[in-house]
Amino acid sequence: MTETTSMQLVPTLSEEELRLIDAEIAHVPYRSAVAIDALKIVQQHRGWVSDESIKAIASYLDMSADELDGIATFYNLIFRRPVGDKVILLCNSISCWIKGCDGLQQKITEQLGVQFGETTSDNRYTLLPVTCLGACDKAPVMMVGEELHEDVAESSIVRILGGSTEP
Amino acid sequence: MSLDRPLTRNVRADRSPTDMAAYEANGGYQGLKAAVGKLSPADCLEILKDSNLRGRGGAGFPTGMKWSFVPMGDKCSPGDKYLICNADEMEPGTFKDRLLLECDPHQLIEGMIVAAYTLQANVAYIFIRAEYFKAAALLREAIAACHQKNYLGNNILGSDYSLEIHIHASAGRYICGEETALISSLEGKRANPRAKPPFPQVSGLWGRPTIVNNVETLCNVHHIIERGADWFKSLGLTEDAGTKMYGVSGRVKRPGCWELPMGTPVREILEEYAGGMADGYSLKGFLPGGGSTDFLVGEHLDLAMDYETIGKAGSRMGTGTMIILDDKTCPVGFVKNLIEFFARESCGFCTPCRDGLPWSAQVLDDIQHGRGRDEDMDTLARQVKFIGAIGNTHCALAPGAMEPLQSAMKYFPEAFEQHIQGSCRHCSGGGH
């Protein structure tokens, strides 16, 4: 299928998204094998994966929207609801728990006014828990966007999340 | 070049990555040149088997034996075979593969090329967790650099062997680290583990013969082929060969990760490398190798950290990264954190795991918050028996989750009892 025809079939995916998805399809035996890659590509361009995107991707990969949604909702880093500009991934696994991640969570909630799973009203941050981030010698740790913060103290939360205030 | 610390010879103090030029200047890609087109795949496999290399992902299965189940030559039906690197490091308390990936990406690539050559696989994947952005970028650079030098691509270094390595950045979920779940995920599906048999060596990715190995395991392969099985065996202090990436986290003076001879005593790792317990804390117990291993205690400090010795002591060496339980941390809270982790990360396919783990977490939460009853201990013991039994579930997630619980009940029963009576000394009266 050429890019032009696929564009006509799937109007809601951009040319760039289709190009990246096609590159993944090139090295797998059937189209639906790239379901997760395609979800990630679309999410990278749009911030999250809407119902419309699910339908568009599913149609492009020759699978049903329900099957794709079953995959999308399985993976915790595929967002089926809009998220903030940056996602905070707070590690609450054992080494970070020993070193006080619960206190960090409280501090973030005080600072941003959000619990796990919520987005700040100014849309800057979404707070989520995450599995052990593999930096346990630097516990407690958290990610803000793609950046890892190590040995995080409660007192450094204000600096890390720079200036964002409680709504 | 340090021959007795092969895995970390390129690791710098500032943890900056080693590029192609620096890697080659320090003897890199010599294993590749010694193997591809020079040794037969069968010879490579023999060396690997002789070396006694065991899987570094946690299970410790002999790597050469695992590979020997892959059909070779005429015995393999026409079509592709696959090598997959499991870089989905997510076991609680485990932080060794990140170091290898971020500091020396070419080492993994060279190990994978030699491994794939041995298996005669022409396609390989690196399944890397979503959050390892830096490592994924470095691996992409390393793969591109290898194509320029014809270490990857068609007819590698003029041989008749060709290989492509693809990177798959995951989308989360601990269960993807289980090898059959990883294969499901790589096929674009939900990461449900598969019943075995058939084993992946025969029917894995897209129904084809597939080997899944941990990052640290693969990083050893080309060193062994280049320097021989005897060299590798000479690195270990005990029966288990080679070096091991050991780590310590928790309330110790210098948490960290070090490559040491396999079989280094627990006490040496804890006291000499991690600097001993942090001021004001003493050791109550430790998980030897990640969140799904049984507690050991002070009496086990002089044991050798290897698969056999830690196994005989009633635990598992697992990933080799220890998590320390100190005297000021509540064992009930510690175990509850782990059980809640495993309950959250269950794929939900098998009933004992999907329904059993949240039940265990609920009972522990009741105990922790002063709602516990004496019979809760019997309930937990029953859960350990049924959820922990191998064979009740497709994979080892649920049995693994029961390991810290059962051993905490064995070594720290007073912590549970005090909580039930409302008087935990760690938790200011047991109410919180």
Side-chain angles (χ1 to χ4, degrees):
Chain A
M1 178 185 305
T2 69
E3 207 163 82
T4 326
T5 36
S6 55
M7 280 298 291
Q8 289 159 355
L9 285 172
V10 196
T12 63
L13 294 180
S14 73
E15 217 165 297
E16 173 69 0
E17 286 166 332
L18 290 172
R19 188 184 65 76
L20 291 167
I21 293 170
D22 284 342
E24 297 294 333
I25 291 174
H27 63 82
V28 294
Y30 48 89
R31 301 174 73 82
S32 65
V34 307
I36 296 159
D37 305 278
L39 288 164
K40 286 190 75 172
I41 288 164
V42 169
Q43 179 165 291
Q44 206 155 25
H45 285 79
R46 298 165 193 241
W48 65 295
V49 181
S50 66
D51 290 352
E52 280 308 304
S53 295
I54 288 281
K55 284 179 199 157
I57 300 167
S59 148
Y60 194 61
L61 299 184
D62 297 338
M63 62 198 296
S64 76
D66 286 343
E67 190 186 356
L68 183 64
D69 202 18
I71 294 162
T73 53
F74 183 90
Y75 294 95
N76 60 303
L77 296 175
I78 300 295
F79 307 131
R80 287 286 280 114
R81 281 188 288 168
V83 292
D85 297 336
K86 284 190 174 170
V87 175
I88 302 169
L89 297 175
L90 179 69
C91 176
N92 63 355
S93 296
I94 189 66
S95 303
C96 286
W97 177 81
I98 295 170
K99 291 290 194 78
C101 65
D102 287 350
L104 292 186
Q105 185 188 340
Q106 238 170 20
K107 196 79 193 169
I108 296 170
T109 296
E110 273 170 33
Q111 160 120 1
L112 300 180
V114 289
Q115 307 280 352
F116 277 143
E118 294 177 349
T119 299
T120 57
S121 56
D122 64 1
N123 214 38
R124 286 183 65 185
Y125 294 114
T126 298
L127 176 63
L128 295 174
V130 74
T131 49
C132 179
L133 281 172
C136 319
D137 50 341
K138 307 278 193 271
V141 298
M142 61 192 256
M143 292 184 79
V144 181
E146 295 190 4
E147 198 180 344
L148 178 71
H149 295 269
E150 303 174 329
D151 293 313
V152 181
E154 286 181 35
S155 57
S156 47
I157 290 292
V158 174
R159 178 181 51 78
I160 293 170
L161 300 179
S164 187
T165 50
E166 198 176 332
Chain B
M1 153 175 23
S2 169
L3 278 178
D4 54 352
R5 300 282 190 278
L7 300 181
T8 51
R9 74 197 194 288
N10 291 323
V11 174
R12 301 165 181 148
D14 66 354
R15 290 198 175 192
S16 59
T18 303
D19 64 9
M20 172 67 91
Y23 184 74
E24 291 207 291
N26 202 14
Y29 288 110
Q30 293 304 315
L32 161 76
K33 288 168 185 165
V36 176
K38 299 280 176 11
L39 291 171
S40 72
D43 289 341
C44 292
L45 182 61
E46 274 316 300
I47 298 170
L48 245 294
K49 275 190 194 163
D50 285 349
S51 76
N52 205 15
L53 172 65
R54 297 176 64 166
R56 303 298 199 234
F61 193 81
T63 306
M65 192 192 290
K66 185 176 189 173
W67 291 10
S68 69
F69 298 127
V70 172
M72 298 298 289
D74 299 345
K75 296 197 178 94
C76 186
S77 56
D80 279 325
K81 291 190 274 192
Y82 299 100
L83 171 72
I84 302 172
C85 170
N86 184 347
D88 200 48
E89 181 169 64
M90 257 186 246
E91 180 68 21
T94 301
F95 51 103
K96 64 186 183 68
D97 295 338
R98 181 197 275 272
L99 180 94
L100 295 171
L101 293 164
E102 291 186 350
C103 297
D104 202 4
H106 280 281
Q107 174 168 246
L108 174 65
I109 301 296
E110 185 178 4
M112 286 184 72
I113 297 169
V114 175
Y117 172 75
T118 304
L119 298 161
Q120 290 291 291
N122 299 113
V123 181
Y125 290 90
I126 301 172
F127 188 104
I128 189 165
R129 68 177 295 182
E131 299 89 339
Y132 281 11
F133 293 101
K134 185 178 164 192
L138 289 167
L139 289 167
R140 285 195 181 93
E141 273 176 38
I143 289 170
C146 282
H147 274 283
Q148 285 191 348
K149 295 224 166 201
N150 191 216
Y151 296 160
L152 280 173
N154 291 330
N155 302 101
I156 294 172
L157 300 178
S159 70
D160 57 3
Y161 178 67
S162 304
L163 174 67
E164 294 292 336
I165 299 181
H166 302 292
I167 292 179
H168 175 87
S170 182
R173 297 305 292 273
Y174 167 78
I175 192 60
C176 293
E178 200 277 341
E179 70 173 2
T180 61
L182 185 153
I183 289 169
S184 296
S185 187
L186 202 49
E187 290 178 353
K189 301 172 182 153
R190 293 166 71 97
N192 292 329
R194 302 171 177 183
K196 296 188 271 196
F199 289 88
Q201 292 99 316
V202 179
S203 178
L205 186 64
W206 295 304
R208 299 294 306 166
T210 302
I211 284 287
V212 183
N213 278 136
N214 168 259
V215 170
E216 187 185 347
T217 311
L218 289 166
C219 284
N220 276 295
V221 170
H222 57 288
H223 294 298
I224 295 171
I225 299 299
E226 186 185 346
R227 302 192 179 88
D230 289 338
W231 163 80
F232 190 70
K233 283 190 271 198
S234 76
L235 296 177
L237 301 177
T238 54
E239 285 297 296
D240 290 333
T243 61
K244 178 79 192 74
M245 299 297 295
Y246 291 116
V248 180
S249 68
R251 295 207 181 272
V252 293
K253 283 203 181 76
R254 293 190 301 272
C257 181
W258 313 272
E259 181 186 18
L260 298 172
M262 179 68 87
T264 300
V266 175
R267 188 187 297 280
E268 190 179 327
I269 300 169
L270 185 57
E271 293 181 358
E272 285 187 30
Y273 292 90
M277 296 300 293
D279 292 335
Y281 295 91
S282 62
L283 179 90
K284 191 170 175 75
F286 63 96
L287 304 180
S292 45
T293 57
D294 280 278
F295 275 102
L296 293 178
V297 293
E299 68 186 78
H300 301 112
L301 284 178
D302 291 310
L303 295 181
M305 265 292 265
D306 67 21
Y307 298 103
E308 292 298 327
T309 314
I310 299 298
K312 278 183 192 146
S315 184
R316 293 185 303 117
M317 188 174 75
T319 59
T321 42
M322 298 190 262
I323 308 161
I324 306 298
L325 170 65
D326 60 77
D327 62 329
K328 294 192 171 61
T329 297
C330 175
V332 175
F334 187 110
V335 171
K336 193 188 92 167
N337 175 276
L338 289 168
I339 298 294
E340 283 181 340
F341 172 93
F342 291 115
R344 182 178 80 190
E345 296 303 324
S346 169
C347 83
F349 191 88
C350 305
T351 307
C353 187
R354 180 188 62 241
D355 291 348
L357 292 180
W359 184 15
S360 302
Q362 184 59 54
V363 172
L364 287 167
D365 191 66
D366 285 347
I367 292 175
Q368 188 188 23
H369 290 96
R371 301 185 300 268
R373 300 164 302 173
D374 290 334
E375 58 265 37
D376 284 346
M377 295 309 286
D378 300 329
T379 304
L380 288 176
R382 269 205 314 282
Q383 290 172 347
V384 163
K385 187 175 167 199
F386 289 107
I387 300 172
I390 301 288
N392 283 355
T393 49
H394 274 179
C395 84
L397 187 147
M402 291 297 107
E403 292 183 25
L405 174 58
Q406 67 185 5
S407 49
M409 290 166 70
K410 172 181 165 188
Y411 287 117
F412 320 118
E414 75 290 346
F416 293 84
E417 285 155 19
Q418 285 165 6
H419 258 291
I420 289 171
Q421 289 153 12
S423 63
C424 175
R425 66 186 174 85
H426 304 283
C427 305
S428 54
H432 298 284

